[in-house]
Amino acid sequence: MVRPGEYYRGALAFISSLKRSRMVQSTTTSSLATAQRAAALALDLKATDVVLLDLTGVSDATDFFVIASGTSDTHVRSTAEHVMEGLKKKEGVAPHHIEGLQQGQWVLLDYVDVIVHVFHPTLREFYQLERLWSDAERIPLEREGGHP
């Protein structure tokens, strides 16, 4: 059994190695657009407490975190799947790595410059990513069509 924190540290190490080995880096502007689209897609499926964090200058692992909560395991899975499908359709991007989709407690979608976390509320409270990355700037979110 994985102890709390090992999963997260392992995921960050993996992400960091991906970012270092990547041949072409996308610009921060396109990464921000992808992050904003991912957040809007999560909101479309009624995800709660959706937060967009700008990690540029704070972390070398990635540029943006999108953090959202589902109300159940099924809601977590369906939200993550909706984000994946929407980003593939609208942005033409697929995740480089996916963790936790089968379990539905914490799904991590790794787009290298953007990482989407969809949590079950109990795990989100336990890991407190917003607190861990409190140095990161929170970016205000807008729904599709420009409505906050």
Side-chain angles (χ1 to χ4, degrees):
M1 180 164 185
V2 176
R3 292 185 310 185
E6 286 180 13
Y7 175 83
Y8 185 71
R9 283 191 297 275
L12 275 184
F14 175 77
I15 293 162
S16 191
S17 69
L18 265 181
K19 188 152 183 164
R20 282 192 306 271
S21 67
R22 186 177 61 192
M23 298 300 285
V24 178
Q25 292 187 351
S26 62
T27 65
T28 302
T29 303
S30 64
S31 298
L32 175 58
T34 300
Q36 289 172 322
R37 173 81 61 173
L41 288 163
L43 287 167
D44 285 348
L45 232 58
K46 308 295 185 212
T48 59
D49 301 322
V50 180
V51 175
L52 175 55
L53 298 178
D54 182 352
L55 297 174
T56 55
V58 177
S59 171
D60 291 334
T62 192
D63 293 336
F64 298 97
F65 271 2
V66 176
I67 305 170
S69 293
T71 56
S72 66
D73 295 357
T74 303
H75 189 211
V76 168
R77 281 191 298 271
S78 63
T79 300
E81 289 169 350
H82 183 69
V83 170
M84 285 190 300
E85 291 167 8
L87 288 180
K88 180 69 172 172
K89 181 179 174 184
K90 295 180 181 183
E91 301 284 330
V93 296
H96 291 276
H97 188 74
I98 302 167
E99 289 283 338
L101 190 60
Q102 296 299 325
Q103 297 81 7
Q105 294 284 305
W106 176 8
V107 180
L108 183 146
L109 305 174
D110 176 12
Y111 292 91
V112 183
D113 288 338
V114 176
I115 298 177
V116 179
H117 300 272
V118 185
F119 282 99
H120 190 278
T122 54
L123 279 183
R124 183 168 180 174
E125 185 178 327
F126 180 79
Y127 285 104
Q128 298 182 16
L129 292 187
E130 295 98 319
R131 190 171 147 260
L132 181 65
W133 296 99
S134 61
D135 291 344
E137 176 188 351
R138 285 185 184 225
I139 298 175
L141 296 176
E142 292 185 8
R143 287 188 176 270
E144 294 287 305
H147 302 290

PDB file of all heavy atoms in Angstrom, residues 42-65:
ATOM      1  N   ALA A  42     -14.108  21.404 -16.526  1.00  0.00           N
ATOM      2  CA  ALA A  42     -14.459  20.836 -15.217  1.00  0.00           C
ATOM      3  C   ALA A  42     -15.721  21.514 -14.666  1.00  0.00           C
ATOM      4  O   ALA A  42     -16.612  20.845 -14.144  1.00  0.00           O
ATOM      5  CB  ALA A  42     -13.295  20.992 -14.239  1.00  0.00           C
ATOM      6  N   LEU A  43     -15.795  22.821 -14.821  1.00  0.00           N
ATOM      7  CA  LEU A  43     -16.986  23.547 -14.371  1.00  0.00           C
ATOM      8  C   LEU A  43     -18.230  23.130 -15.153  1.00  0.00           C
ATOM      9  O   LEU A  43     -19.320  23.082 -14.597  1.00  0.00           O
ATOM     10  CB  LEU A  43     -16.761  25.060 -14.491  1.00  0.00           C
ATOM     11  CG  LEU A  43     -15.822  25.671 -13.456  1.00  0.00           C
ATOM     12  CD1 LEU A  43     -15.428  27.087 -13.866  1.00  0.00           C
ATOM     13  CD2 LEU A  43     -16.446  25.659 -12.072  1.00  0.00           C
ATOM     14  N   ASP A  44     -18.052  22.823 -16.441  1.00  0.00           N
ATOM     15  CA  ASP A  44     -19.186  22.375 -17.257  1.00  0.00           C
ATOM     16  C   ASP A  44     -19.842  21.133 -16.671  1.00  0.00           C
ATOM     17  O   ASP A  44     -21.045  20.953 -16.798  1.00  0.00           O
ATOM     18  CB  ASP A  44     -18.733  22.024 -18.684  1.00  0.00           C
ATOM     19  CG  ASP A  44     -18.446  23.245 -19.529  1.00  0.00           C
ATOM     20  OD1 ASP A  44     -18.797  24.366 -19.115  1.00  0.00           O
ATOM     21  OD2 ASP A  44     -17.857  23.067 -20.611  1.00  0.00           O
ATOM     22  N   LEU A  45     -19.049  20.271 -16.048  1.00  0.00           N
ATOM     23  CA  LEU A  45     -19.589  19.044 -15.467  1.00  0.00           C
ATOM     24  C   LEU A  45     -19.867  19.205 -13.968  1.00  0.00           C
ATOM     25  O   LEU A  45     -19.937  18.235 -13.236  1.00  0.00           O
ATOM     26  CB  LEU A  45     -18.632  17.872 -15.726  1.00  0.00           C
ATOM     27  CG  LEU A  45     -19.318  16.662 -16.355  1.00  0.00           C
ATOM     28  CD1 LEU A  45     -19.984  17.012 -17.657  1.00  0.00           C
ATOM     29  CD2 LEU A  45     -18.361  15.525 -16.536  1.00  0.00           C
ATOM     30  N   LYS A  46     -20.006  20.457 -13.531  1.00  0.00           N
ATOM     31  CA  LYS A  46     -20.387  20.779 -12.152  1.00  0.00           C
ATOM     32  C   LYS A  46     -19.340  20.365 -11.117  1.00  0.00           C
ATOM     33  O   LYS A  46     -19.682  20.061  -9.975  1.00  0.00           O
ATOM     34  CB  LYS A  46     -21.737  20.160 -11.774  1.00  0.00           C
ATOM     35  CG  LYS A  46     -22.863  20.457 -12.740  1.00  0.00           C
ATOM     36  CD  LYS A  46     -23.194  21.926 -12.765  1.00  0.00           C
ATOM     37  CE  LYS A  46     -24.412  22.150 -13.661  1.00  0.00           C
ATOM     38  NZ  LYS A  46     -24.401  23.405 -14.345  1.00  0.00           N
ATOM     39  N   ALA A  47     -18.060  20.386 -11.501  1.00  0.00           N
ATOM     40  CA  ALA A  47     -17.010  20.186 -10.508  1.00  0.00           C
ATOM     41  C   ALA A  47     -17.080  21.344  -9.521  1.00  0.00           C
ATOM     42  O   ALA A  47     -17.496  22.450  -9.872  1.00  0.00           O
ATOM     43  CB  ALA A  47     -15.639  20.139 -11.170  1.00  0.00           C
ATOM     44  N   THR A  48     -16.675  21.094  -8.286  1.00  0.00           N
ATOM     45  CA  THR A  48     -16.738  22.134  -7.254  1.00  0.00           C
ATOM     46  C   THR A  48     -15.341  22.625  -6.905  1.00  0.00           C
ATOM     47  O   THR A  48     -14.351  21.933  -7.139  1.00  0.00           O
ATOM     48  CB  THR A  48     -17.431  21.597  -5.987  1.00  0.00           C
ATOM     49  OG1 THR A  48     -16.702  20.474  -5.498  1.00  0.00           O
ATOM     50  CG2 THR A  48     -18.861  21.191  -6.284  1.00  0.00           C
ATOM     51  N   ASP A  49     -15.282  23.811  -6.341  1.00  0.00           N
ATOM     52  CA  ASP A  49     -14.028  24.401  -5.858  1.00  0.00           C
ATOM     53  C   ASP A  49     -12.915  24.333  -6.895  1.00  0.00           C
ATOM     54  O   ASP A  49     -11.788  23.936  -6.591  1.00  0.00           O
ATOM     55  CB  ASP A  49     -13.575  23.722  -4.566  1.00  0.00           C
ATOM     56  CG  ASP A  49     -14.597  23.832  -3.459  1.00  0.00           C
ATOM     57  OD1 ASP A  49     -15.221  24.895  -3.357  1.00  0.00           O
ATOM     58  OD2 ASP A  49     -14.775  22.853  -2.713  1.00  0.00           O
ATOM     59  N   VAL A  50     -13.211  24.737  -8.123  1.00  0.00           N
ATOM     60  CA  VAL A  50     -12.204  24.702  -9.190  1.00  0.00           C
ATOM     61  C   VAL A  50     -11.251  25.874  -9.007  1.00  0.00           C
ATOM     62  O   VAL A  50     -11.672  27.022  -8.856  1.00  0.00           O
ATOM     63  CB  VAL A  50     -12.865  24.733 -10.584  1.00  0.00           C
ATOM     64  CG1 VAL A  50     -11.812  24.689 -11.678  1.00  0.00           C
ATOM     65  CG2 VAL A  50     -13.848  23.577 -10.726  1.00  0.00           C
ATOM     66  N   VAL A  51      -9.952  25.553  -8.993  1.00  0.00           N
ATOM     67  CA  VAL A  51      -8.907  26.545  -8.767  1.00  0.00           C
ATOM     68  C   VAL A  51      -7.854  26.398  -9.860  1.00  0.00           C
ATOM     69  O   VAL A  51      -7.495  25.285 -10.244  1.00  0.00           O
ATOM     70  CB  VAL A  51      -8.237  26.324  -7.382  1.00  0.00           C
ATOM     71  CG1 VAL A  51      -7.062  27.258  -7.173  1.00  0.00           C
ATOM     72  CG2 VAL A  51      -9.249  26.483  -6.268  1.00  0.00           C
ATOM     73  N   LEU A  52      -7.349  27.526 -10.349  1.00  0.00           N
ATOM     74  CA  LEU A  52      -6.256  27.541 -11.319  1.00  0.00           C
ATOM     75  C   LEU A  52      -5.069  28.237 -10.675  1.00  0.00           C
ATOM     76  O   LEU A  52      -5.179  29.392 -10.259  1.00  0.00           O
ATOM     77  CB  LEU A  52      -6.691  28.257 -12.602  1.00  0.00           C
ATOM     78  CG  LEU A  52      -5.642  28.479 -13.686  1.00  0.00           C
ATOM     79  CD1 LEU A  52      -4.973  27.173 -14.097  1.00  0.00           C
ATOM     80  CD2 LEU A  52      -6.279  29.158 -14.888  1.00  0.00           C
ATOM     81  N   LEU A  53      -3.963  27.510 -10.544  1.00  0.00           N
ATOM     82  CA  LEU A  53      -2.757  28.057  -9.925  1.00  0.00           C
ATOM     83  C   LEU A  53      -1.664  28.241 -10.973  1.00  0.00           C
ATOM     84  O   LEU A  53      -1.385  27.323 -11.762  1.00  0.00           O
ATOM     85  CB  LEU A  53      -2.235  27.110  -8.838  1.00  0.00           C
ATOM     86  CG  LEU A  53      -3.144  26.844  -7.648  1.00  0.00           C
ATOM     87  CD1 LEU A  53      -2.481  25.853  -6.693  1.00  0.00           C
ATOM     88  CD2 LEU A  53      -3.489  28.129  -6.924  1.00  0.00           C
ATOM     89  N   ASP A  54      -1.020  29.400 -10.962  1.00  0.00           N
ATOM     90  CA  ASP A  54       0.107  29.702 -11.842  1.00  0.00           C
ATOM     91  C   ASP A  54       1.393  29.349 -11.093  1.00  0.00           C
ATOM     92  O   ASP A  54       1.766  30.027 -10.135  1.00  0.00           O
ATOM     93  CB  ASP A  54       0.088  31.181 -12.214  1.00  0.00           C
ATOM     94  CG  ASP A  54       1.205  31.564 -13.162  1.00  0.00           C
ATOM     95  OD1 ASP A  54       2.100  30.731 -13.437  1.00  0.00           O
ATOM     96  OD2 ASP A  54       1.196  32.721 -13.626  1.00  0.00           O
ATOM     97  N   LEU A  55       2.062  28.291 -11.523  1.00  0.00           N
ATOM     98  CA  LEU A  55       3.272  27.831 -10.854  1.00  0.00           C
ATOM     99  C   LEU A  55       4.551  28.299 -11.536  1.00  0.00           C
ATOM    100  O   LEU A  55       5.641  27.898 -11.126  1.00  0.00           O
ATOM    101  CB  LEU A  55       3.270  26.293 -10.771  1.00  0.00           C
ATOM    102  CG  LEU A  55       2.137  25.697  -9.941  1.00  0.00           C
ATOM    103  CD1 LEU A  55       2.137  24.179 -10.056  1.00  0.00           C
ATOM    104  CD2 LEU A  55       2.262  26.105  -8.500  1.00  0.00           C
ATOM    105  N   THR A  56       4.436  29.143 -12.566  1.00  0.00           N
ATOM    106  CA  THR A  56       5.637  29.641 -13.219  1.00  0.00           C
ATOM    107  C   THR A  56       6.433  30.450 -12.202  1.00  0.00           C
ATOM    108  O   THR A  56       5.885  31.275 -11.483  1.00  0.00           O
ATOM    109  CB  THR A  56       5.309  30.501 -14.458  1.00  0.00           C
ATOM    110  OG1 THR A  56       4.434  31.560 -14.080  1.00  0.00           O
ATOM    111  CG2 THR A  56       4.659  29.669 -15.554  1.00  0.00           C
ATOM    112  N   GLY A  57       7.686  30.182 -12.103  1.00  0.00           N
ATOM    113  CA  GLY A  57       8.538  30.846 -11.133  1.00  0.00           C
ATOM    114  C   GLY A  57       8.500  30.216  -9.758  1.00  0.00           C
ATOM    115  O   GLY A  57       9.293  30.554  -8.889  1.00  0.00           O
ATOM    116  N   VAL A  58       7.570  29.297  -9.531  1.00  0.00           N
ATOM    117  CA  VAL A  58       7.443  28.618  -8.244  1.00  0.00           C
ATOM    118  C   VAL A  58       7.958  27.186  -8.343  1.00  0.00           C
ATOM    119  O   VAL A  58       8.565  26.669  -7.417  1.00  0.00           O
ATOM    120  CB  VAL A  58       5.970  28.627  -7.754  1.00  0.00           C
ATOM    121  CG1 VAL A  58       5.816  27.867  -6.451  1.00  0.00           C
ATOM    122  CG2 VAL A  58       5.461  30.047  -7.603  1.00  0.00           C
ATOM    123  N   SER A  59       7.726  26.562  -9.497  1.00  0.00           N
ATOM    124  CA  SER A  59       8.096  25.163  -9.687  1.00  0.00           C
ATOM    125  C   SER A  59       8.641  24.938 -11.089  1.00  0.00           C
ATOM    126  O   SER A  59       8.172  25.563 -12.049  1.00  0.00           O
ATOM    127  CB  SER A  59       6.875  24.269  -9.476  1.00  0.00           C
ATOM    128  OG  SER A  59       7.162  22.939  -9.842  1.00  0.00           O
ATOM    129  N   ASP A  60       9.610  24.046 -11.203  1.00  0.00           N
ATOM    130  CA  ASP A  60      10.113  23.646 -12.514  1.00  0.00           C
ATOM    131  C   ASP A  60       9.330  22.472 -13.077  1.00  0.00           C
ATOM    132  O   ASP A  60       9.503  22.107 -14.234  1.00  0.00           O
ATOM    133  CB  ASP A  60      11.593  23.246 -12.421  1.00  0.00           C
ATOM    134  CG  ASP A  60      12.485  24.432 -12.141  1.00  0.00           C
ATOM    135  OD1 ASP A  60      12.104  25.564 -12.499  1.00  0.00           O
ATOM    136  OD2 ASP A  60      13.569  24.231 -11.557  1.00  0.00           O
ATOM    137  N   ALA A  61       8.466  21.864 -12.274  1.00  0.00           N
ATOM    138  CA  ALA A  61       7.754  20.659 -12.691  1.00  0.00           C
ATOM    139  C   ALA A  61       6.670  20.958 -13.724  1.00  0.00           C
ATOM    140  O   ALA A  61       6.452  20.171 -14.634  1.00  0.00           O
ATOM    141  CB  ALA A  61       7.136  19.966 -11.481  1.00  0.00           C
ATOM    142  N   THR A  62       5.985  22.084 -13.584  1.00  0.00           N
ATOM    143  CA  THR A  62       4.885  22.428 -14.486  1.00  0.00           C
ATOM    144  C   THR A  62       4.603  23.917 -14.378  1.00  0.00           C
ATOM    145  O   THR A  62       5.125  24.584 -13.480  1.00  0.00           O
ATOM    146  CB  THR A  62       3.621  21.598 -14.146  1.00  0.00           C
ATOM    147  OG1 THR A  62       2.673  21.755 -15.195  1.00  0.00           O
ATOM    148  CG2 THR A  62       3.029  21.993 -12.811  1.00  0.00           C
ATOM    149  N   ASP A  63       3.779  24.428 -15.279  1.00  0.00           N
ATOM    150  CA  ASP A  63       3.437  25.848 -15.259  1.00  0.00           C
ATOM    151  C   ASP A  63       2.121  26.135 -14.547  1.00  0.00           C
ATOM    152  O   ASP A  63       1.980  27.166 -13.897  1.00  0.00           O
ATOM    153  CB  ASP A  63       3.360  26.397 -16.688  1.00  0.00           C
ATOM    154  CG  ASP A  63       4.710  26.408 -17.375  1.00  0.00           C
ATOM    155  OD1 ASP A  63       5.750  26.432 -16.673  1.00  0.00           O
ATOM    156  OD2 ASP A  63       4.743  26.390 -18.619  1.00  0.00           O
ATOM    157  N   PHE A  64       1.140  25.230 -14.687  1.00  0.00           N
ATOM    158  CA  PHE A  64      -0.179  25.473 -14.120  1.00  0.00           C
ATOM    159  C   PHE A  64      -0.765  24.211 -13.511  1.00  0.00           C
ATOM    160  O   PHE A  64      -0.571  23.116 -14.044  1.00  0.00           O
ATOM    161  CB  PHE A  64      -1.153  25.998 -15.195  1.00  0.00           C
ATOM    162  CG  PHE A  64      -0.732  27.299 -15.784  1.00  0.00           C
ATOM    163  CD1 PHE A  64      -0.034  27.341 -16.976  1.00  0.00           C
ATOM    164  CD2 PHE A  64      -1.028  28.492 -15.142  1.00  0.00           C
ATOM    165  CE1 PHE A  64       0.378  28.550 -17.523  1.00  0.00           C
ATOM    166  CE2 PHE A  64      -0.619  29.706 -15.679  1.00  0.00           C
ATOM    167  CZ  PHE A  64       0.088  29.733 -16.869  1.00  0.00           C
ATOM    168  N   PHE A  65      -1.478  24.380 -12.417  1.00  0.00           N
ATOM    169  CA  PHE A  65      -2.311  23.342 -11.819  1.00  0.00           C
ATOM    170  C   PHE A  65      -3.753  23.772 -11.967  1.00  0.00           C
ATOM    171  O   PHE A  65      -4.101  24.928 -11.689  1.00  0.00           O
ATOM    172  CB  PHE A  65      -2.059  23.204 -10.309  1.00  0.00           C
ATOM    173  CG  PHE A  65      -0.980  22.264  -9.894  1.00  0.00           C
ATOM    174  CD1 PHE A  65      -0.197  21.565 -10.789  1.00  0.00           C
ATOM    175  CD2 PHE A  65      -0.740  22.067  -8.548  1.00  0.00           C
ATOM    176  CE1 PHE A  65       0.795  20.699 -10.367  1.00  0.00           C
ATOM    177  CE2 PHE A  65       0.252  21.207  -8.098  1.00  0.00           C
ATOM    178  CZ  PHE A  65       1.023  20.521  -9.023  1.00  0.00           C
TER     179      PHE A  65
END
